[in-house]
Structures are given as C-alpha cells and as structure tokens.
C-alpha cells in the first residue's frame, strides 16, 4: 500500500482545504511530520484512517460523525476527506463526507445531510477515473479485502503508536494477549476453548443427570422393597455407583421373591378354611329359610279363613256389575244429551239478554232476518270511513308542520346570533396565529443565542479552572528544571572525578606478566591506588540514570505546562474577560427568552386548527339559515292546500256519522248489533235441537234397564262400577284365589315339612365363623398381592436401572474424553506442563515470530547490545507463553524489558512495532505496506542512538518503503530534509511542504 495524495476539507483543526503530496514526501524515503502542539499532526493520520475505514483510530473515535467537523470551517463548506493510494496494483481514490448540519436553503436553522462515500479506480487504458461504488458497506468491504487487515490492525501496523508499544513491551502476559489477539484474530482458538468448556459442562451435566436418575431408581426400589433391605449411602459422581446400585437391586429382588413364596402358601391355607366356613353357613341359612317358609304358610292359611265372608260379598258385587254393563251405553247417551241441552239453554238466555226488549222476544228465524238488515247498513259506511281516516292524517300533517316551523325558528335564531359574533372571533384567532408565527421566527435566533451563551459560560468555567492548573504546571516545571540542573551538575562532577581517578581503576585490573592496556608493559612496579573519594563506573552510571530521569521529568512537566497554557488561551479566547457570574446571568436570560418564544410558537398549530374549525362552523351556520328560510316558504303553500281538502271531507263525515259522533263510532255500533243478533239466532236454533235429543235418550234408557233385570234406570246406574272400582274388585278376587293356591302348595312340600320338624338353625354362629375365615383370607391375599407387586415393581425398576447404566456408560466415556481436551486447551490439565491455553499457545508462536523480526532491527539500533527473546515463563494469572525478555550482550544475561531506560525502551518498542508490522503483513497475505508512520518518542534518544535509529528507518527503503516520523525533536529537522509542517493560527491549521521538489 502506497499513499499518493490526501485532501482535507473542514476536518479537525483544518478550516479550509489542505492538500498533502505523499509522493513528493516519500521520494526521499524518510520524511518528518512536525508542528506545535495542537496544530493537527495527529489529525493528518486520523484523516488517512477515516478515508480508508470511515472511522478515526480507537481512542479518538466518537460515536457522532458531526464531531469530525472543524470549528473553523465556514457554514457553507462541507467536511470532506479524499485519499489517493495504490494497493494490490490498483490505483484508487476514496472520498468520505461525514454527516453535516448545513444551513437550510429556505428559512433559518440547520438540517442534517447523511454521510456519503465514493470509491473510484484509475483506468490506465482509458486514462480516466471510473466510479466503482457509493455504498459505505461495499467500500468498507473492498478496502478491508485489499489491505487484508481491519481498522485496528491498520492503526497498529501502519500508524505505529509508540506509547502503545512501550506499554506492550512492559505489559504482563494478559495485556499482551489482548493486543495480539486483536491483531492476529485468534478468536477462533478462544472459541475452540469456549466450545470445549461448554461441551465439558454439558457432558458433566448429562453424567450427573444420569447418576441422579439412577439414584432416583434406587430410592424407588428401596421404597418398593420395604425396610428389609437397606440402601447404602450413595451420591451422584461416586465411583462404582452403577455397580453398587445393580448389586443392591439383585439382593432386593431375591428377598422379595422369598417373601412372595411364603405369602402364596399362607393364602392357599386361608382359602381352604374360608371355603369350609362358607359351606357351613350356606347349609344353616338353607335350613332356617325352610323353617321360616313353613311357619309363614301356616299363619297365612289362618288369616284366609278369618276373611272368608268378605270374599263372598265381593263375588256378589262383581256379578251385579257385570249385568249393569249392558245398560251403560244408554246411561252415557242420556247424560250427554242432558249436558248439551243445559249448555244450549244457558247460551240462548245469555244471547237474548244482550238484545233490546222488542228483539229479545223474536224466534230464531226473526233474529236471523234482523241480523241481515244491520249488516247491509254497515256496508254502506265504508266510503265515509275512508274520508274520516284522511281527516285524521291531515290533522297529523298540520301538527308536523307546526313542529317543523318551531324548530326552524329556533335554528334560525341560533344561527343569526352566532353569525353576529363571527368577525370578532375571526380577528382574535388571526391575531393569535400572527403572534405565534412571529415567535416561531425568533426561536431559531434565540436558540443560537442560548447555545452561544452556554458555550461562553462553560468556557469561562474552564478558563478559571485552567488558570489554576496552568499556575500549578508552571510551578512543577520550574521545580523539574531545577532538579534536572542539579542532577546534570552531579553527573558531570562524578564523571570528571572518575576521569581523574581512571588510572587507579585501570590499575585494579593489572596482574604480573599481563601486558598493561595502556603502555603494554608486563611489569607494574608502582600501580596507582584509589583514594578515599574515588568514583567508580557504577556510581557514574547511577548519576547518569538520575540525570536522564530528571530530564524526562522536566520535559514532561514543560510539555504539560505548554499544553495547559494553550488550553487556557483557547478558553480565554472563547470566554473573553467576563466573569462566570455575568455570563451565567446572560445565559439564564437567553434561556428565559428562548422558553417564552418557544411557548408562544407552540400555540401556532392549535390556533390554526381552531380558525379552520371556526370557518367550517361559519359555513354550516350560513347554510342552515338559508335552508330554514326555504322550508318556511314551502310550508305556507302546503297549509293552504290542506285547509281546502279538510273542509270537503268534514261535510261527508258529518252526514254518515249522524248522532254517533263519528263514522267509526257508528260502524262500531252496527258491528256490535250484527254480532249480537247472529249469536242469539244461532243459540235459539241449538237449544231446540238439544231438547229433542234429550227426549229420545230418556226412552232408550228405560227400555235397556228393563231388559237387564233392573226395575228402574236408577238401580242399573247404582250397580254399575267405574273402571277403577272394577279393576280393584277384580284384583281382590284374583289375589284371594292366588293366596289360597300358594298356601296349599307350600304346606304340601315334603322338604319344608321335614325342615319344620328339625331343631331351629343357628345362622349367627355360622356367619361369625365365615366372616372370620374371610378376613383371614383377605389378609393373606393382600399380603400375597403386595409381595407380587413388590417383585414386579423391583423387576421393572431393575430393568430400567440396567438400561440407564448401559445408556450412562457412553456418556461417561464422552465426558472423560471432552474433559481431558477442555482442561488441556484451558491450561489447567496436569498434562499441560506450562499451563498454557490454546489461544496463548498460538499467540506465543506469533510473539516468537515478532521477537525474531524485531531483534534484527533492535540489534542494529543498540549497536549489537540488545536482542528480544520470547519466554515461556509463567506470568500474569499463573499462565505462560507470552513472556518477553531482553538479552544484554554486554552482561550476557537475560532480563525483564521493564529494566530498560527511557531511550532504550523507545528504540526497543520501535523495533517491536516494525517487527510486528512485518509479521502482520505476512499474516494478511503479504500485502506490501509501502508507507508507514511513527509517532512521538525520539526525544528520549541521545545523538548516537538517534543516528542508529534513523539508519534503521532509512534502511526500510531497501524494501521500497517510505517512513513518516511524527515528532517535536528540533534535531530531526536538521537530519530529515523532507518535511510536512503543520501550522496553526486563530483561523485554523494549514500544512506546508519543505525540502521536496
């Protein structure tokens, strides 16, 4: 990947468009990116990352795209980043525009435009750019696929943050594992560990569930077996659980079968005894029954003899009733004729009583003639009846017209009253609308004033707080400078004293016969001696280390002091000289004005709706008034027509009604008269017919009674029985005959007579003996059934337990196998000697590659003194595999990276970063990274080490790479000729190229 050109517009601190020519900067292979603090050096790297991935590096990433916009940009300029690069042999151009709150084209306020992206590729054959995509997702996937690394990997490999690698160099295994895991994406190995752990827990749960089910079967078998066979103490997971349960089940089944045999023998004996007792009881009951039967028959015969007279009377009564049955039809006929004649006579009397005196005396024929005359008169009233109905309808219609007139008058008065106030209501509503619209126009302006006042108030509070922080930072910087000067003087003094006594230090290493390192002589007659204030090498190095630490502290305190002053200046520029109390009052007043305008503006829509509804009501009222006037005119003509028709109909009705008052009343009179006359004529005819039938029935009854042997019809009627009395008498006669026959039959039975001659039977003793034998049989049968059920239940549960043991065996094998794998990959197994997790094992291999790649450059930067080695020693939570040590060639010892000095830590972390970039590049598929950026850290190097580091960076050109150094170190401006300078002022930052063609 090689960067060619970067265009930044309204991004970060850059208010207008700035262009960076990476081709010109990369021509020398090494270029410097420098500028004052806060100018925007890091923003250049953010823009590169944002163009490629649509987001800035992690620590500076914000959840809102609007925060990327420059505060110095004009309102009409949109934020945009355009990057031209070559990757995988393709020349691409990526353009990104974050969301933008631009001013509205109409009215006041702002509206937010969505983020946009473009991806173009240069077609060498057509010598023109062609569009590839405008989709955020497609562009992101295309860039990630071409680079072969995620945004986190890109920021770690291409934008080399030295602070992160210094922490990585000194971190424990856990922290290193997190970074390496993100870069090399070893989540799949962690997923394998997690999956194996889940499988182990699932297998363990299955085994424990199987053990619990097996123990449940064992407890159910114990309940079935009873108290005779106690169950041993067992728990899920106990070794040999299955064998113990099956052995105990076999013992329980054997004991249960023995109990079943004993219970079966006892039941057989009880059955024999019970059968003998039941047989004796049956014989006693049979004898008692025969004796009781004979005694009851003798008693019944005595009662029959006592009631013999009553039986003879019943027989005579039945004989007379049979003779009277031949007279019954004539009696029924005469009773029917008498009842019909009585009813007809009563009906005739009632009908004649309803008639006037002259008509009541007429016979049946005269009454029928009078009814015909009244019906003919009734038929002549139909026309007059219709006229009378029409008069009623006309009256109803006139009343309806009166009600409509009253309702229309009320509606007309209501409409005129409402319409009289219309102009006042409309003017009031329109005034409310105008006031709300005017307030809505002021809301946007007041919102800006409120926001500006709030920002100034926050800035004033920051200004006051930062003033104190700047003063404290100045005090710390002054103290650090004094301590650094004292440490420097101490080091120089010790170094000078050591040089003065260096002869004694060299003499300490002389030996007889060994040449002197200075003069070469083998004899040493007067070697120098150390005086009391001699300074050795260790004292000088300790003083030098103190001096360097003091310098680092001084530089850090001065940097913090400068940062505090710049931040304070920015806060003062924004807040001005007003006090916090004054700005708080202004902010509160702006808030109140904004709230008042917003409340007034919120009434716009309700007022508009109320005016619209009032307009609709005005139209409805006006329409109602017009319609009421039209209906009133129509009612006048309708009233005149009704009055004329009513006068004609009234004359016709008066003639037909006569004295009755109305035609309907006269018709009702005639209808009643016709009905009464017709009913009286019919009743008279019916009375004559029933009188004749009664005479005929009396003659027939007298003849039938004489032929049956009765003197009078009354005697025949008295002898006649009704159906119920006849059946009762016949039942008594039949029952007497059956009782006599039954008694004779029982007394004639030989067995019954013989039983009567035997002693009385003792049934109660036989019943008690049989009940006792039955209870003994029931207890024996219950015991045998319980024993059989116990055997069957134990057989069933034993079979179920055996099946559970067979099913549990493969689950145990699976659990053992999965548990061994899970503990091995998790680093907790005894077989895993170094307690190294699977993911740590993979990361350890990657770290070993990184250490090997970093050592090549570290050895050169340190003049062959230091090399990085990977260590499997345990560290961090007792795990191993991610240790990192440094080997010092001067001492030949391996030591921890935390013992390196500040400068040594910088070039060691730089070498580590470059080595990691090479390994990640190879891991990503060998994508060439032709442009790299290195962040701050060069200020901690001395001149010689700085030259060696720059030589190593310059050697990267051998692989056709260009390296950008981001640094404040002034000496680098002399050593690195190609420079990109970032300048800042009150209107925003800008870039300037130096030392490029």
């Amino acid at each position: 990947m090689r960067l060619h050109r970067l265009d930044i517009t309204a991004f970060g601190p850059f208010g207008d468009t700035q262009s960076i020519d990476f081709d010109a900067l990369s021509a020398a292979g090494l270029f410097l990116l420098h500028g004052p603090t806060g100018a925007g050096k890091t923003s250049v790297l953010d823009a590169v990352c944002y163009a490629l991935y649509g987001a800035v590096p992690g620590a500076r990433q914000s959840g809102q795209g609007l925060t990327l916009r420059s505060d110095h940009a004009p309102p009409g300029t949109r934020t945009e980043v355009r990057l031209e690069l070559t990757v995988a042999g393709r020349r691409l151009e990526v353009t990104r525009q974050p969301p933008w709150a631009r001013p509205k084209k109409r009215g006041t306020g702002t509206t937010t435009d969505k983020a946009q992206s473009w991806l173009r590729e240069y077609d060498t054959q057509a010598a023109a750019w062609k569009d590839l995509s405008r989709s955020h997702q497609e562009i992101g996937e295309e860039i990630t696929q071409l680079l072969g690394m995620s945004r986190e990997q890109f920021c770690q490999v291409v934008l080399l943050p030295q602070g992160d690698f210094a922490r990585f160099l000194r971190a424990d295994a856990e922290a290193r594992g997190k970074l390496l895991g993100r870069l090399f994406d070893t989540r799949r190995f962690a997923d394998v560990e997690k999956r194996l752990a889940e499988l182990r827990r699932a297998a363990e749960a299955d085994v424990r569930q199987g053990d619990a089910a097996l123990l449940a079967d064992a407890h159910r078998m114990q309940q079935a077996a009873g108290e005779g066979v106690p169950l041993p103490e067992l728990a899920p997971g106990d070794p040999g659980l299955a064998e113990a349960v099956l052995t105990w089940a076999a013992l329980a089944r054997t004991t249960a079968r023995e109990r079943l045999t004993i219970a079966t023998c006892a039941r057989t004996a009880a059955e024999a005894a019970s059968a003998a007792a039941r047989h004796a009881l049956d014989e006693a009951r049979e004898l008692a029954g025969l004796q009781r039967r004979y005694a009851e028959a003798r008693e019944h015969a005595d009662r029959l003899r006592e009631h013999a007279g009553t039986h003879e009377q019943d027989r005579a009564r039945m004989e007379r009733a049979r003779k009277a049955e031949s007279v019954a039809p004539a009696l029924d006929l005469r009773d029917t004729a008498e009842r019909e004649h009585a009813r007809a006579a009563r009906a005739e009397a009632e009908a004649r009583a309803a008639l006037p005196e002259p008509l009541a005396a007429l016979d049946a024929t005269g009454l029928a003639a009078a009814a015909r005359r009244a019906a003919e008169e009734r038929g002549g009233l139909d026309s007059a009846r219709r006229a009378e109905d029409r008069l009623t309808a006309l009256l109803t219609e006139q009343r309806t017209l009166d009600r409509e007139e009253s309702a229309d008058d009320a509606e007309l008065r209501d409409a005129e009253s409402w319409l009289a106030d219309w102009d006042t209501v409309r003017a009031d509503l329109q005034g409310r609308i105008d006031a709300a619209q005017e307030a809505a126009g002021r809301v946007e302006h007041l919102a800006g004033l409120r926001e500006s006042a709030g920002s100034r108030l926050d800035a004033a509070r920051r200004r006051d707080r930062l003033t104190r922080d700047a003063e404290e930072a100045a005090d710390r910087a002054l103290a650090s400078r004094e301590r650094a000067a004292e440490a420097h003087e101490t080091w120089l003094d010790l170094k000078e004293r050591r040089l003065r006594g260096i002869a004694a230090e060299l003499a300490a290493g002389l030996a007889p016969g060994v040449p002197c390192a200075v003069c070469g002589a083998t004899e040493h007659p007067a070697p120098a001696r150390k005086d009391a204030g001699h300074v050795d090498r260790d004292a000088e190095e300790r003083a030098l280390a103190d001096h360097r630490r003091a310098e680092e502290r001084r530089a850090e305190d001065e940097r913090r002091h400068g940062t505090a002053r710049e931040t304070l200046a920015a806060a003062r520029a924004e807040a001005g000289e007003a006090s916090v109390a004054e700005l708080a009052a202004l902010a509160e007043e702006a808030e109140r004005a904004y709230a008042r305008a917003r409340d007034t503006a919120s009434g716009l829509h309700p007022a508009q709706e109320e005016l619209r509804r009032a307009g609709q009501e005005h139209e409805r009222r006006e329409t109602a008034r017009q319609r009421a006037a039209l209906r009133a005119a129509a009612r006048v003509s309708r009233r005149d027509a009704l009055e004329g028709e009513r006068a004609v109909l009234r004359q016709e009705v008066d003639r037909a009604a006569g004295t009755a008052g109305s035609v309907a009343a006269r018709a009702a009179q005639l209808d009643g008269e016709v009905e009464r006359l017709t009913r009286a004529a019919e009743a008279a005819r019916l009375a004559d017919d029933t009188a004749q039938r009664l005479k005929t029935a009396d003659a027939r009854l007298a003849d039938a009674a004489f032929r049956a042997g009765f003197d009078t019809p009354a005697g025949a009627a008295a002898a006649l029985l009704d159906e119920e009395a006849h059946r009762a008498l016949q039942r008594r006669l039949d029952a007497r005959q059956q009782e006599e026959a039954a008694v004779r039959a029982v007394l004639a039975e030989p067995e019954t007579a013989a039983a009567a001659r035997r002693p009385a039977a003792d049934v109660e003793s036989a019943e008690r003996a049989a009940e006792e034998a039955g209870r003994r049989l029931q207890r024996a049968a219950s015991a045998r059934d319980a024993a059989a059920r116990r055997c069957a239940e134990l057989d069933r549960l034993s079979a179920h337990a055996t099946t559970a043991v067979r099913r549990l065996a493969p689950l145990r094998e699976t659990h053992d196998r999965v548990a061994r794998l899970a503990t091995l990959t998790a680093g907790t197994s005894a077989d895993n000697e170094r307690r190294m997790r699977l993911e740590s094992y993979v990361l350890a291999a990657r770290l070993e590659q990184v250490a090997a790649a970093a050592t090549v450059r570290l050895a050169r930067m340190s003049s062959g003194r230091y090399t990085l080695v990977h260590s499997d020693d345990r560290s961090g939570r007792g795990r191993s595999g991610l240790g990192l040590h440094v080997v010092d060639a001067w001492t030949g010892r391996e030591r921890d990276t935390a013992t390196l000095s500040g400068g040594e830590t910088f070039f060691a972390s730089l070498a580590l970063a470059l080595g990691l970039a090479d390994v990640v590049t190879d891991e990503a598929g060998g994508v060439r990274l032709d442009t790299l950026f290195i962040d701050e850290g060069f200020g901690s190097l001395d001149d010689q080490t700085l030259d060696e580091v720059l030589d190593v960076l310059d050697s990267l050109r051998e692989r056709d790479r260009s390296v950008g150094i981001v640094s404040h170190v002034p000496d680098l401006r002399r050593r690195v000729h190609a420079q990109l300078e970032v300048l800042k002022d009150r209107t925003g930052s800008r870039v300037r190229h130096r030392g490029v063609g």
Side-chain angles (χ1 to χ4, degrees):
M1 180 199 73
R2 177 177 294 278
L3 305 181
H4 299 294
R5 183 180 181 86
L6 176 66
D7 295 327
I8 307 174
T9 302
F11 183 89
F14 303 103
D16 54 3
T17 300
Q18 299 294 317
S19 298
I20 301 173
D21 189 352
F22 284 112
D23 285 337
L25 292 171
S26 302
L30 193 64
F31 64 91
L32 178 64
L33 176 60
H34 68 94
T37 301
K41 300 185 296 298
T42 305
S43 296
V44 174
L45 307 184
D46 290 347
V48 173
C49 183
Y50 181 74
L52 293 175
Y53 294 96
V56 296
R60 298 182 293 278
Q61 185 177 5
S62 173
Q64 302 293 332
L66 295 175
T67 60
L68 300 176
R69 178 172 177 79
S70 175
D71 295 334
H72 301 286
T77 301
R78 178 158 190 174
T79 302
E80 180 181 275
V81 176
R82 180 182 291 110
L83 177 65
E84 185 179 340
L85 73 158
T86 297
V87 58
R90 300 169 60 184
R91 185 150 184 158
L92 303 175
E93 181 188 78
V94 186
T95 304
R96 301 273 191 181
Q97 292 181 349
W100 179 38
R102 63 170 177 80
K104 293 182 178 178
K105 295 181 180 179
R106 296 180 180 179
T108 59
T110 61
T111 183
T112 301
D113 287 346
K114 295 181 180 179
Q116 298 186 25
S117 300
W118 293 270
L119 177 62
R120 300 197 303 169
E121 182 176 5
Y122 187 75
D123 190 346
T124 56
Q125 295 181 354
W129 291 94
K130 63 178 182 179
D131 293 333
L132 295 182
S133 176
R134 297 192 63 175
S135 169
H136 302 297
Q137 183 176 1
E138 290 180 359
I139 295 174
E141 292 176 353
E142 181 74 13
I143 294 298
T144 302
Q145 183 177 1
L146 289 174
L147 292 177
M149 61 184 73
S150 64
R151 177 174 61 87
E152 291 78 7
Q153 291 175 317
F154 178 84
C155 295
Q156 201 74 39
V157 173
V158 178
L159 304 183
L160 300 185
Q162 290 306 299
D164 288 350
F165 278 97
R167 287 190 296 272
F168 178 79
L169 192 66
R170 295 187 175 97
D172 58 8
E174 194 71 21
R176 289 196 185 105
K178 291 180 180 179
L179 176 61
L180 293 175
R182 291 196 304 270
L183 292 178
F184 293 106
D185 193 15
T186 57
R187 288 174 296 179
R188 59 188 182 277
F189 300 103
D191 292 341
V192 169
E193 298 176 22
K194 182 178 179 182
R195 179 57 179 164
L196 285 173
E198 292 173 353
L199 291 176
R200 183 191 63 185
R201 289 192 294 270
E204 183 178 356
D206 292 341
V207 171
R208 294 187 66 85
Q209 184 177 2
D211 286 348
L214 186 60
L215 280 177
D217 289 340
H219 286 295
R220 284 194 289 270
M221 285 190 286
Q222 183 187 21
Q223 293 175 357
E227 301 296 333
V229 187
L231 180 68
E233 293 293 334
L234 299 172
D238 287 350
L241 173 66
E243 290 77 5
V245 171
L246 295 180
T247 301
W248 179 87
L251 177 61
R253 291 198 305 274
T254 301
T255 304
R257 291 192 184 96
E258 293 175 353
R259 292 178 178 177
L260 176 60
T261 302
I262 296 172
T264 302
C265 294
R267 188 185 69 173
T268 303
E271 287 176 349
S274 178
R278 285 197 304 272
H279 181 69
L281 176 61
D282 293 340
E283 289 181 348
R285 286 175 175 172
E286 184 178 2
L287 177 60
L290 291 174
Q291 291 175 345
R292 186 170 54 254
R293 178 180 176 84
Y294 183 82
E296 291 175 353
R298 291 301 301 267
E299 292 176 0
H300 202 174
D302 294 341
R303 287 195 300 271
L304 290 176
R305 283 193 295 270
E306 292 175 358
H307 296 87
T310 304
H311 176 62
E312 289 300 327
Q313 293 176 0
D314 288 342
R315 289 179 60 188
R317 181 79 175 96
M318 178 60 73
E319 182 65 25
R320 288 195 303 274
R322 288 195 182 99
K323 292 179 179 180
E325 286 179 358
S326 60
V327 187
L331 286 171
D332 293 340
L333 181 62
R334 198 268 176 192
D335 291 340
T336 301
E338 185 177 14
R339 288 193 299 273
E340 289 178 353
H341 177 65
R343 285 196 300 270
R346 287 195 300 273
E348 181 183 10
E350 292 175 358
R352 289 182 180 277
L355 296 176
E357 184 63 29
L359 295 177
L362 296 176
D363 57 6
T365 303
L367 292 172
R372 286 193 298 273
R373 289 193 299 272
E376 291 174 356
E377 184 180 357
R378 170 66 179 81
L381 295 178
D382 291 342
S383 175
R385 181 68 178 272
R386 288 192 295 272
E388 188 176 49
D389 293 342
R390 177 58 181 163
L391 279 175
T392 303
L394 292 177
L395 181 60
T396 301
E397 187 174 355
Q398 285 181 338
R399 292 173 180 172
T400 301
L401 291 176
D402 293 341
R403 288 194 300 271
E404 291 177 353
E405 183 177 7
S406 177
D408 286 345
D409 290 342
E411 183 177 2
L412 187 61
R413 288 193 301 271
D414 183 54
E416 290 176 348
S417 175
W418 193 92
L419 292 173
D421 299 333
W422 164 242
D423 293 336
T424 302
V425 171
R426 181 175 57 184
D428 180 61
L429 292 176
Q430 188 62 45
R432 288 170 54 190
I433 292 173
D434 295 341
Q437 289 176 340
E438 191 272 334
R442 288 188 291 108
V443 165
E444 295 291 341
H445 174 68
L446 293 175
L449 294 178
R450 182 189 65 165
E451 184 176 358
S452 176
S455 299
R456 289 190 63 194
L457 177 59
D458 293 340
R461 290 169 177 166
R462 289 198 307 274
R463 177 197 62 196
D464 295 347
R465 184 179 66 256
L466 292 173
T467 300
R468 295 189 297 271
D469 294 345
E471 293 173 354
E472 294 175 358
D475 295 340
R476 286 194 298 269
L478 178 60
S480 297
R481 284 194 295 271
E482 293 175 353
R483 286 193 295 269
E486 293 175 357
H488 186 255
E489 292 176 0
T490 301
W491 172 59
L492 292 178
D493 179 62
L494 292 177
K495 185 175 182 179
E496 183 179 358
R497 289 167 58 188
R498 182 186 173 218
L499 291 176
R500 287 197 300 267
I502 195 65
E505 185 175 341
L506 293 174
L510 296 177
V514 178
C516 176
V518 178
C519 63
T522 58
E523 295 181 359
H524 318 293
R529 296 287 185 268
K530 295 181 180 180
D531 55 16
H534 179 73
V535 178
D536 56 10
R537 181 185 182 89
D538 292 338
E540 180 190 355
E541 289 183 352
R542 284 196 300 271
L544 177 59
D546 293 340
H547 165 59
R548 288 177 176 174
R549 283 194 297 270
E551 282 293 328
E552 291 175 358
R553 183 64 181 175
R554 177 195 59 77
E556 177 65 19
D557 289 342
E558 289 183 349
R559 184 190 65 79
R560 291 179 179 176
H561 182 214
T563 303
R565 285 185 302 172
E566 292 175 359
T567 308
L568 175 60
R572 283 176 173 171
E574 183 177 358
E577 296 301 328
S579 65
V580 172
E582 294 173 348
L583 293 177
L586 292 176
E588 184 177 358
E589 177 60 29
E591 180 67 28
R592 287 196 297 269
Y594 171 75
R596 288 193 300 271
R598 184 184 59 188
D599 293 341
T600 304
S602 64
L604 174 61
H605 180 70
Q608 291 175 338
E609 285 296 315
E610 190 173 352
L611 178 60
R612 180 183 62 80
R613 289 193 297 270
Q616 293 175 349
E617 181 67 14
H618 174 265
E619 294 179 0
R620 188 184 68 80
R621 298 277 185 165
E622 185 65 32
T623 302
R625 182 175 63 177
Q626 295 174 359
R627 289 178 178 176
L630 292 175
R631 287 195 298 270
R635 276 195 301 273
V636 173
S637 60
R638 181 58 180 166
R639 284 182 184 277
D640 295 341
L642 291 178
E643 287 295 333
E645 184 179 1
R646 184 168 177 271
V648 173
L649 293 176
R650 171 55 61 187
Q651 295 178 359
E652 181 181 357
V653 169
D654 291 342
R655 286 195 303 270
T659 60
S662 67
V663 176
R666 179 56 182 163
Q669 290 177 356
L670 291 175
D671 288 339
E673 185 176 349
V674 169
E675 182 181 359
R676 290 190 297 273
L677 288 171
T678 302
R679 186 168 59 250
E682 185 65 25
R685 284 195 300 270
L686 183 60
D688 294 341
D689 293 341
T690 56
Q692 184 61 37
R693 287 197 296 273
L694 180 59
K695 291 180 181 180
T696 303
D698 286 338
R700 291 180 179 176
L701 176 61
D703 183 60
F706 177 77
R707 286 196 299 269
F710 292 98
D711 296 337
T712 62
L720 188 67
L721 296 175
D722 57 16
E723 184 177 358
E724 182 62 29
H726 185 276
R727 283 197 300 269
L729 181 59
Q730 185 64 47
R731 281 196 299 271
R732 289 199 301 271
L733 293 174
D734 293 342
R736 171 75 182 199
Q737 184 178 2
Q738 292 172 1
E739 288 176 0
E740 290 177 349
V743 168
R744 287 194 298 270
V746 170
L747 294 177
E749 293 176 355
E751 294 179 357
T752 305
R757 292 191 292 271
R758 293 176 62 183
D762 190 359
V763 178
E764 294 182 357
S765 299
E767 286 178 348
R768 287 194 296 272
E771 289 176 358
E772 181 62 27
R775 285 193 290 271
R776 288 195 297 269
L777 175 60
Q778 185 177 6
R779 288 194 295 270
S782 298
R784 194 270 173 192
D785 293 341
R789 286 195 300 272
R790 183 180 297 111
C791 288
E793 184 67 11
L794 286 174
D795 290 341
R796 184 184 67 81
L797 292 174
S798 296
H800 188 272
T802 303
T803 303
V805 170
R806 294 194 189 98
R807 194 166 51 243
L808 191 57
L811 293 179
R812 290 187 184 277
E813 295 176 0
T814 301
H815 171 260
D816 294 341
R817 183 172 61 255
V818 172
R820 285 195 301 271
L821 288 175
T823 54
L824 184 63
T825 57
T828 59
S829 172
D831 297 333
N832 192 333
E833 297 179 356
R834 295 189 177 277
R835 301 180 63 81
M836 187 182 298
R837 293 171 44 231
L838 177 61
E839 184 182 16
S840 298
Y841 178 79
V842 176
L843 293 177
R846 292 289 187 267
L847 183 59
E848 191 171 5
Q849 296 174 358
V850 171
T855 295
V856 176
R857 296 184 176 89
L858 179 59
R860 186 172 177 182
M861 292 180 186
S862 63
S863 300
R865 179 178 179 182
Y866 295 118
T867 57
L868 285 173
V869 294
H870 163 253
S871 173
D872 284 338
D873 293 340
R874 294 185 181 181
S875 63
R877 298 188 181 179
R879 302 298 174 89
S880 61
L882 296 179
L884 195 63
H885 290 174
V886 63
V887 177
D888 190 345
W890 289 5
T891 62
R893 294 186 178 181
E894 181 178 323
R895 54 192 175 97
D896 192 271
T897 53
T899 61
L900 295 174
S901 66
E904 292 169 342
T905 299
F906 168 70
F907 61 67
S909 62
L910 177 59
L912 186 63
L914 295 174
L916 184 61
D918 293 340
V919 175
V920 173
T921 301
D922 295 338
E923 178 75 12
V927 177
R928 288 180 54 83
L929 300 178
D930 299 322
T931 305
L932 298 176
F933 294 92
I934 300 175
D935 208 340
E936 281 286 0
F938 293 89
S940 60
L941 304 179
D942 55 32
D943 294 341
Q944 179 181 355
T945 305
L946 180 61
D947 289 335
E948 293 172 348
V949 170
L950 292 179
D951 289 342
V952 171
L953 295 179
D954 193 53
S955 67
L956 294 177
R957 287 186 295 176
E958 298 173 0
R959 300 178 62 181
D960 196 22
R961 284 182 173 176
S962 61
V963 179
I965 299 175
V966 183
S967 178
H968 291 279
V969 178
D971 195 33
L972 286 174
R973 302 176 192 174
R974 176 179 56 81
R975 297 170 183 259
V976 181
H977 300 289
Q979 299 177 11
L980 178 67
E981 185 178 7
V982 183
L983 306 173
K984 69 175 182 179
D985 54 30
R986 298 180 65 87
T987 61
S989 299
R990 55 190 176 87
V991 299
R992 180 169 61 188
H993 297 74
R994 289 175 174 271
V996 298

